[in-house]
Amino acid sequence: MKLHEYEAKKIFKKYGIDVPKSFLIKKGDDVELKEFDEAVLKAQVLVGGRGKAGGILFTNKENFKEKVEELFNKEIKGEKVDKILVEEKLRIKKEYYLSITIDRNEKKPVIIFSPEGGVDIEEIAEKHPEKIIKYYVDIKKPFLPYIGREIAKKAGVEIKVGDIIYKVYKIFKELDATLVEINPLVVTEDNKIYAADAVIHLDDDSYFRQDFSEFEEYKNKENLPFAYVELDGDVAVIGNGAGLTLASMDTIYDFGLKPACFLDIGGGADEETTKLALKKVLENKKVKGIFINVLGGITRCDEVAKAIVEILKDNPNIKFSVRLTGTNEELGRKILEEANIPYSTSMYEAGKRLAESLRFSL
Ligand code: GDP
Ligand code: MN
């Protein structure tokens, strides 16, 4: 999960990293600029290279409302702007780059620092690789403040930067982040250091031990117990296992149908998960037919069948076809037969039947 800049900056503040003075505005708010003379307007969108894409505007008391309106009317790389962070404009002397992420080859967290920040780090890496410092963290040892200071010394920057590196590592570790990035980390003309930008990505697999409920992104997130990708056709495709689900999509294509989604209920899905999956695909009003393809291994056919019966009771008009085979197949078939729901044990036949019933209904 990616956090918006304003939320990442709240975390920075909590950990004692200085951020510019700011306030957040939402679309439709009627606000003036009182707190400071010059401000930077920053679109709260989750895309990289926001500045280059027009998501950062400089403003003052005179043209504030105008600029705010301009930014709210923009789309930044396809993302609509519904919140803007208004920050006091800093008098920037120098811009550094700092990030901590996981190096999957080394299997270690890596701290990346460059005294040449602000611009694309990829560009610095290409043109001036000597200006990038990488430090691999030994997670078996405590991360002590001197490590940050040593990195700052090696980079030839203010020793105070070491303290920020230490704090950023603390955030990275304590929040189970996969990325914490400050670009630019700014030195102002009066020699203060601020995180002018903030990127935090949290690890979705750590929800069980983290409380992320305070974040807006988390509240908006649907925690579905299956993999779901919406597509532009009108036949929902549900399978267990990604390979089988893809094969099911191919099958319905062969019969001239187009998938409305890819939904993999995964191995071992029970009645509850299957019901949730069926409800999810029915939320899409374009869906005219559902194709379910289950090859029961650890998934039990009777559990899937029970869910199908329940959902079809409430949705009698939907065209439907199921291929069901594997563990508890007999039980599953019996449940479907009792509810008068036809089934196949062959994917091809099930696809054909769905295509015919959809064509017939046209
Ligand atoms: P990004 O494009 O999403 O990375 O957005 P940033 O927040 O990093 O802003 C992009 C660039 O705008 C920075 O690298 C700075 O050069 C500039 N910038 C941002 N805030 C300020 C500020 O307060 N003062 C000045 N002078 N420049 C700023
Ligand atoms: Mn940036």
Side-chain angles (χ1 to χ4, degrees):
M1 180 175 70
K2 297 177 181 179
L3 296 185
H4 285 100
E5 178 189 12
Y6 74 93
E7 288 192 304
K9 279 183 168 163
K10 269 192 231 160
I11 296 173
F12 282 6
K13 228 169 149 173
K14 203 167 114 192
Y15 279 79
I17 297 170
D18 289 332
V19 295
K21 276 188 221 150
S22 72
F23 58 94
L24 188 72
I25 53 177
K26 294 191 186 76
K27 200 165 188 164
D29 287 353
D30 185 25
V31 277
E32 279 175 50
L33 186 61
K34 291 188 213 124
E35 290 80 354
F36 18 88
D37 295 327
E38 282 183 274
V40 186
L41 304 180
K42 312 181 87 179
Q44 296 303 288
V45 289
L46 295 171
V47 299
R50 181 181 48 169
K52 278 189 193 162
I56 308 276
L57 298 180
F58 294 91
T59 179
N60 53 37
K61 280 184 173 159
E62 283 72 54
N63 65 5
F64 182 70
K65 287 195 177 188
E66 215 174 282
K67 290 277 175 188
V68 166
E69 203 185 317
E70 182 187 332
L71 193 52
F72 273 132
N73 285 328
K74 273 188 187 175
E75 259 188 35
I76 314 299
K77 293 190 179 169
E79 239 194 88
K80 291 206 170 76
V81 182
D82 58 12
K83 288 194 190 76
I84 294 175
L85 186 66
V86 183
E87 282 192 338
E88 181 171 28
K89 189 177 168 194
L90 302 169
R91 312 256 155 236
I92 299 180
K93 191 161 78 178
K94 280 182 286 183
E95 296 187 312
Y96 302 147
Y97 176 91
L98 170 62
S99 73
I100 305 184
T101 185
I102 294 163
D103 186 312
R104 289 178 196 278
N105 288 326
E106 297 288 330
K107 301 184 180 67
K108 281 175 185 160
V110 59
I111 299 172
I112 303 171
F113 183 86
S114 174
E116 307 259 329
V119 289
D120 296 330
I121 192 70
E122 292 83 5
E123 206 178 301
I124 314 169
E126 209 174 286
K127 292 187 185 146
H128 300 282
E130 76 286 353
K131 287 191 174 148
I132 293 186
I133 294 172
K134 280 190 183 178
Y135 179 90
Y136 293 97
V137 180
D138 182 350
I139 56 164
K140 293 197 190 92
K141 291 186 188 149
F143 190 87
L144 299 172
Y146 83 90
I147 298 172
R149 290 197 294 271
E150 273 190 354
I151 295 170
K153 217 159 104 187
K154 198 168 163 203
V157 299
E158 295 77 355
I159 218 73
K160 281 190 282 187
V161 169
D163 181 47
I164 294 169
I165 295 173
Y166 176 69
K167 286 169 178 164
V168 169
Y169 188 77
K170 229 170 129 71
I171 294 172
F172 179 80
K173 183 145 188 288
E174 287 178 7
L175 266 70
D176 285 319
T178 53
L179 173 70
V180 183
E181 185 188 70
I182 307 179
N183 186 30
L185 178 68
V186 150
V187 185
T188 54
E189 276 159 14
D190 53 355
N191 294 316
K192 294 209 174 92
I193 303 179
Y194 292 95
D197 194 6
V199 174
I200 296 182
H201 295 182
L202 299 171
D203 188 344
D204 292 358
D205 290 331
S206 68
Y207 287 156
F208 74 97
R209 63 178 182 195
Q210 293 281 356
D211 179 18
F212 294 146
S213 55
E214 68 183 277
F215 303 125
E216 176 208 345
E217 295 80 359
Y218 184 84
K219 286 181 205 140
N220 294 339
K221 196 179 162 73
E222 261 186 303
N223 268 312
L224 299 172
F226 41 72
Y228 175 78
V229 182
E230 200 163 303
L231 302 164
D232 54 12
D234 54 13
V235 175
V237 177
I238 301 176
N240 64 326
L244 191 69
T245 312
L246 285 173
S248 311
M249 285 170 59
D250 284 349
T251 303
I252 67 152
Y253 264 120
D254 282 349
F255 289 106
L257 306 176
K258 278 186 85 183
C261 69
F262 165 98
L263 194 156
D264 170 14
I265 51 174
D270 58 5
E271 182 184 345
E272 215 35 56
T273 304
T274 312
K275 269 203 260 181
L276 277 176
L278 285 160
K279 283 184 190 159
K280 179 73 207 170
V281 302
L282 286 165
E283 275 173 21
N284 178 352
K285 294 299 160 212
K286 273 198 295 188
V287 168
K288 294 199 189 89
I290 301 177
F291 185 60
I292 294 201
N293 186 359
V294 169
L295 195 146
I298 50 171
T299 306
R300 288 167 37 186
C301 293
D302 55 322
E303 293 276 318
V304 173
K306 276 191 266 178
I308 293 173
V309 172
E310 280 292 306
I311 298 294
L312 288 191
K313 245 192 257 167
D314 301 334
N315 299 277
N317 295 327
I318 197 92
K319 300 294 170 199
F320 184 84
S321 184
V322 57
R323 182 260 188 148
L324 201 59
T325 189
T327 308
N328 285 5
E329 186 175 322
E330 299 297 322
L331 262 177
R333 281 196 215 170
K334 209 168 143 234
I335 292 165
L336 292 176
E337 271 163 12
E338 277 166 10
N340 271 325
I341 297 169
Y343 59 82
S344 311
T345 49
S346 136
M347 170 156 76
Y348 179 83
E349 265 174 36
K352 192 169 166 204
R353 200 178 47 234
L354 184 63
E356 280 164 1
S357 66
L358 278 167
R359 257 180 229 128
F360 189 65
S361 71
L362 285 177

CSV table of all heavy atoms in Angstrom, one decimal, residues 5 40 42 47-52 56 58 87-92 95 118-119 183-184 196-197, ligand 1:
chain,number,residue,atom,x,y,z
A,5,GLU,N,1.7,11.6,0.2
A,5,GLU,CA,2.7,12.4,0.7
A,5,GLU,C,2.3,13.0,2.1
A,5,GLU,O,3.1,13.0,3.1
A,5,GLU,CB,3.1,13.5,-0.2
A,5,GLU,CG,4.1,14.5,0.3
A,5,GLU,CD,4.3,15.7,-0.7
A,5,GLU,OE1,3.4,15.9,-1.5
A,5,GLU,OE2,5.3,16.4,-0.5
A,40,VAL,N,4.0,26.2,-2.0
A,40,VAL,CA,4.1,25.2,-3.1
A,40,VAL,C,2.8,24.3,-3.0
A,40,VAL,O,2.5,23.9,-1.9
A,40,VAL,CB,5.4,24.3,-2.9
A,40,VAL,CG1,5.5,23.3,-4.1
A,40,VAL,CG2,6.6,25.1,-2.7
A,42,LYS,N,1.0,21.0,-3.9
A,42,LYS,CA,1.4,19.6,-4.3
A,42,LYS,C,0.2,18.7,-4.4
A,42,LYS,O,-0.5,18.4,-3.4
A,42,LYS,CB,2.4,19.1,-3.3
A,42,LYS,CG,3.5,20.2,-3.0
A,42,LYS,CD,4.6,19.7,-2.0
A,42,LYS,CE,5.6,18.9,-2.8
A,42,LYS,NZ,6.7,18.4,-1.8
A,47,VAL,N,1.6,9.0,-8.0
A,47,VAL,CA,2.3,8.7,-9.2
A,47,VAL,C,3.7,9.2,-9.0
A,47,VAL,O,3.9,10.2,-8.4
A,47,VAL,CB,1.7,9.2,-10.5
A,47,VAL,CG1,0.3,8.6,-10.7
A,47,VAL,CG2,1.6,10.7,-10.5
A,48,GLY,N,4.7,8.6,-9.7
A,48,GLY,CA,6.1,9.1,-9.6
A,48,GLY,C,6.2,10.2,-10.6
A,48,GLY,O,5.4,10.4,-11.5
A,49,GLY,N,7.3,11.0,-10.4
A,49,GLY,CA,7.5,12.1,-11.4
A,49,GLY,C,6.4,13.1,-11.5
A,49,GLY,O,6.1,13.7,-12.5
A,50,ARG,N,5.8,13.4,-10.3
A,50,ARG,CA,4.6,14.3,-10.2
A,50,ARG,C,5.0,15.7,-10.7
A,50,ARG,O,4.2,16.3,-11.4
A,50,ARG,CB,4.2,14.2,-8.8
A,50,ARG,CG,3.0,15.0,-8.4
A,50,ARG,CD,2.8,14.9,-6.9
A,50,ARG,NE,4.0,15.1,-6.1
A,50,ARG,CZ,4.1,15.2,-4.8
A,50,ARG,NH1,2.9,15.2,-4.1
A,50,ARG,NH2,5.2,15.4,-4.2
A,51,GLY,N,6.1,16.2,-10.2
A,51,GLY,CA,6.5,17.5,-10.6
A,51,GLY,C,6.6,17.7,-12.1
A,51,GLY,O,6.0,18.7,-12.6
A,52,LYS,N,7.3,16.8,-12.7
A,52,LYS,CA,7.5,16.9,-14.2
A,52,LYS,C,6.1,16.8,-14.9
A,52,LYS,O,6.0,17.3,-16.0
A,52,LYS,CB,8.4,15.7,-14.7
A,52,LYS,CG,9.8,16.0,-14.5
A,52,LYS,CD,10.6,14.9,-15.2
A,52,LYS,CE,12.1,15.0,-14.8
A,52,LYS,NZ,12.8,13.8,-15.1
A,56,ILE,N,3.1,19.9,-9.4
A,56,ILE,CA,3.6,20.9,-8.4
A,56,ILE,C,3.5,22.3,-9.0
A,56,ILE,O,4.0,22.5,-10.0
A,56,ILE,CB,5.1,20.5,-8.1
A,56,ILE,CG1,5.3,19.1,-7.8
A,56,ILE,CG2,5.7,21.5,-7.1
A,56,ILE,CD1,5.1,18.6,-6.4
A,58,PHE,N,3.9,26.6,-8.0
A,58,PHE,CA,4.4,27.6,-7.0
A,58,PHE,C,3.4,28.7,-7.1
A,58,PHE,O,2.8,29.1,-8.1
A,58,PHE,CB,5.8,28.1,-7.4
A,58,PHE,CG,6.8,27.0,-7.3
A,58,PHE,CD1,7.1,26.1,-8.3
A,58,PHE,CD2,7.4,26.8,-6.0
A,58,PHE,CE1,8.0,25.1,-8.2
A,58,PHE,CE2,8.4,25.7,-5.9
A,58,PHE,CZ,8.7,24.9,-6.9
A,87,GLU,N,2.3,23.9,1.0
A,87,GLU,CA,3.5,23.9,1.9
A,87,GLU,C,4.2,25.3,1.7
A,87,GLU,O,4.2,25.9,0.6
A,87,GLU,CB,4.5,22.9,1.4
A,87,GLU,CG,4.1,21.5,1.9
A,87,GLU,CD,5.2,20.5,1.8
A,87,GLU,OE1,6.1,20.7,1.0
A,87,GLU,OE2,5.2,19.5,2.5
A,88,GLU,N,4.7,25.7,2.8
A,88,GLU,CA,5.6,26.9,2.8
A,88,GLU,C,6.7,26.6,1.8
A,88,GLU,O,7.4,25.6,1.9
A,88,GLU,CB,6.1,27.2,4.2
A,88,GLU,CG,6.9,28.5,4.2
A,88,GLU,CD,7.2,29.0,5.6
A,88,GLU,OE1,7.3,28.1,6.5
A,88,GLU,OE2,7.4,30.2,5.7
A,89,LYS,N,7.0,27.6,0.9
A,89,LYS,CA,8.1,27.4,0.0
A,89,LYS,C,9.4,27.5,0.7
A,89,LYS,O,9.6,28.5,1.5
A,89,LYS,CB,8.0,28.4,-1.1
A,89,LYS,CG,8.9,28.1,-2.2
A,89,LYS,CD,8.8,29.1,-3.4
A,89,LYS,CE,10.0,28.9,-4.3
A,89,LYS,NZ,10.1,30.1,-5.3
A,90,LEU,N,10.2,26.5,0.5
A,90,LEU,CA,11.6,26.6,1.1
A,90,LEU,C,12.5,27.3,0.2
A,90,LEU,O,12.4,27.3,-1.0
A,90,LEU,CB,12.1,25.1,1.3
A,90,LEU,CG,11.2,24.2,2.1
A,90,LEU,CD1,11.7,22.7,2.0
A,90,LEU,CD2,11.2,24.6,3.6
A,91,ARG,N,13.5,27.9,0.9
A,91,ARG,CA,14.6,28.5,0.1
A,91,ARG,C,15.7,27.5,0.0
A,91,ARG,O,16.5,27.3,0.9
A,91,ARG,CB,15.2,29.8,0.8
A,91,ARG,CG,14.2,30.8,1.2
A,91,ARG,CD,14.1,32.0,0.3
A,91,ARG,NE,12.8,32.6,0.4
A,91,ARG,CZ,12.0,32.8,-0.6
A,91,ARG,NH1,12.3,32.4,-1.9
A,91,ARG,NH2,10.8,33.3,-0.5
A,92,ILE,N,15.7,26.8,-1.1
A,92,ILE,CA,16.6,25.6,-1.2
A,92,ILE,C,18.0,25.9,-1.6
A,92,ILE,O,18.2,26.7,-2.6
A,92,ILE,CB,16.0,24.6,-2.3
A,92,ILE,CG1,14.6,24.1,-1.8
A,92,ILE,CG2,16.9,23.4,-2.5
A,92,ILE,CD1,13.9,23.1,-2.7
A,95,GLU,N,19.9,19.9,-2.7
A,95,GLU,CA,18.9,18.8,-2.7
A,95,GLU,C,19.7,17.4,-2.6
A,95,GLU,O,20.5,17.2,-3.5
A,95,GLU,CB,18.0,18.8,-3.9
A,95,GLU,CG,17.2,20.1,-4.0
A,95,GLU,CD,16.2,20.0,-5.1
A,95,GLU,OE1,16.5,19.7,-6.2
A,95,GLU,OE2,15.0,20.3,-4.9
A,118,GLY,N,16.9,15.4,-6.0
A,118,GLY,CA,15.9,16.3,-6.7
A,118,GLY,C,15.5,15.7,-8.0
A,118,GLY,O,14.4,15.6,-8.3
A,119,VAL,N,16.5,15.4,-8.8
A,119,VAL,CA,16.2,14.9,-10.2
A,119,VAL,C,16.1,13.3,-10.1
A,119,VAL,O,16.1,12.7,-9.1
A,119,VAL,CB,17.3,15.2,-11.2
A,119,VAL,CG1,17.3,16.7,-11.5
A,119,VAL,CG2,18.7,14.8,-10.7
A,183,ASN,N,13.0,12.5,-1.5
A,183,ASN,CA,13.7,13.1,-2.7
A,183,ASN,C,12.9,14.3,-3.2
A,183,ASN,O,11.9,14.2,-3.8
A,183,ASN,CB,13.8,12.1,-3.9
A,183,ASN,CG,14.6,12.7,-5.0
A,183,ASN,OD1,15.5,13.5,-4.8
A,183,ASN,ND2,14.2,12.2,-6.2
A,184,PRO,N,13.4,15.5,-2.9
A,184,PRO,CA,14.7,15.8,-2.2
A,184,PRO,C,14.6,15.9,-0.7
A,184,PRO,O,13.6,16.4,-0.2
A,184,PRO,CB,15.0,17.2,-2.8
A,184,PRO,CG,13.7,17.8,-3.0
A,184,PRO,CD,12.7,16.7,-3.3
A,196,ALA,N,11.5,17.4,1.9
A,196,ALA,CA,10.6,18.2,1.0
A,196,ALA,C,9.6,17.3,0.3
A,196,ALA,O,8.5,17.8,-0.1
A,196,ALA,CB,11.4,19.0,0.0
A,197,ASP,N,9.9,16.1,0.2
A,197,ASP,CA,9.0,15.1,-0.4
A,197,ASP,C,9.0,13.9,0.5
A,197,ASP,O,9.9,13.7,1.3
A,197,ASP,CB,9.4,14.8,-1.8
A,197,ASP,CG,8.3,14.1,-2.6
A,197,ASP,OD1,7.2,14.0,-2.1
A,197,ASP,OD2,8.6,13.7,-3.8
B,1,GDP,P1,7.9,14.8,-7.2
B,1,GDP,O1,8.0,15.4,-8.6
B,1,GDP,O2,6.6,14.1,-7.0
B,1,GDP,O3,9.1,14.1,-6.7
B,1,GDP,O4,7.6,16.1,-6.2
B,1,GDP,P2,8.6,16.9,-5.2
B,1,GDP,O5,7.8,17.2,-4.0
B,1,GDP,O6,9.9,16.1,-5.0
B,1,GDP,O7,8.9,18.2,-5.9
B,1,GDP,C1,9.6,18.3,-7.1
B,1,GDP,C2,10.6,19.4,-7.1
B,1,GDP,O8,10.0,20.7,-6.9
B,1,GDP,C3,11.7,19.3,-6.1
B,1,GDP,O9,12.7,18.4,-6.5
B,1,GDP,C4,12.1,20.7,-5.9
B,1,GDP,O10,13.1,21.0,-6.8
B,1,GDP,C5,10.9,21.5,-6.2
B,1,GDP,N1,10.3,21.9,-4.9
B,1,GDP,C6,9.4,21.2,-4.1
B,1,GDP,N2,9.2,21.9,-3.0
B,1,GDP,C7,9.9,23.1,-3.0
B,1,GDP,C8,10.0,24.2,-2.2
B,1,GDP,O11,9.5,24.3,-1.1
B,1,GDP,N3,10.9,25.2,-2.6
B,1,GDP,C9,11.5,25.1,-3.8
B,1,GDP,N4,12.3,26.1,-4.2
B,1,GDP,N5,11.4,24.1,-4.6
B,1,GDP,C10,10.6,23.1,-4.3
